[in-house]
Amino acid sequence: QVQLVESGGGLVQPGGSLRLSCAASGRTFSNYPMAWFRQAPGKEREFVASINWNGGSTYYADSVKGRFTISRDNGKNTVYLQMNSLKPEDTAVYYCARNRRLLSGNPELRSEYDYWGQGTQVTVSS
């Protein structure tokens, strides 16, 4: 069993920044691709960003490209999401997820992931 715990969410003004952290416990964490998803009220849970096992390859949703950065520190068993230039439409619960395979398929699909954190709320409002 892999447990993922997100932190770092909160209330920020438009244009501001937040850094989310996902602390993971469990065996072989460093071998798996990881991702961030988000879900706003009344909307589907949507893909935000993914990262491969060593951080050498990343992939972003068009809506956050150029503003968000996903990274990982395998030594700390932690994945990060740096969010800059935040917009009100970024308001959502953000979830960390572990890919179900060592080699990911389409990272945008929720079905690719087998473990999820409970989420952290990000609210962007003036």
Side-chain angles (χ1 to χ4, degrees):
Q1 180 77 27
V2 175
Q3 295 188 5
L4 307 174
V5 180
E6 301 96 335
S7 63
L11 174 64
V12 296
Q13 299 180 64
S17 298
L18 278 177
R19 189 180 77 159
L20 306 183
S21 297
C22 173
S25 62
R27 300 179 183 90
T28 68
F29 165 79
S30 64
N31 294 330
Y32 289 86
M34 301 288 293
W36 289 93
F37 284 72
R38 67 187 183 186
Q39 187 166 22
K43 295 185 177 181
E44 297 281 316
R45 188 171 299 188
E46 66 176 356
F47 171 80
V48 176
S50 65
I51 188 167
N52 76 333
W53 72 276
N54 67 355
S57 181
T58 58
Y59 180 72
Y60 298 92
D62 288 342
S63 59
V64 306
K65 192 175 300 181
R67 299 188 298 120
F68 290 11
T69 303
I70 187 172
S71 61
R72 67 192 298 164
D73 186 336
N74 289 339
K76 296 181 179 179
N77 291 319
T78 302
V79 179
Y80 304 96
L81 184 68
Q82 178 66 46
M83 305 184 294
N84 298 326
S85 301
L86 284 162
K87 305 174 181 180
E89 50 263 46
D90 295 318
T91 296
V93 177
Y94 283 71
Y95 299 90
C96 178
R98 190 195 81 166
N99 198 284
R100 63 182 178 86
R101 299 181 294 175
L102 294 177
L103 298 176
S104 64
N106 184 347
E108 297 182 0
L109 300 178
R110 288 175 289 175
S111 60
E112 285 285 308
Y113 303 91
D114 56 358
Y115 293 99
W116 297 79
Q118 62 185 1
T120 184
Q121 177 71 48
V122 172
T123 302
V124 184
S125 176
S126 60

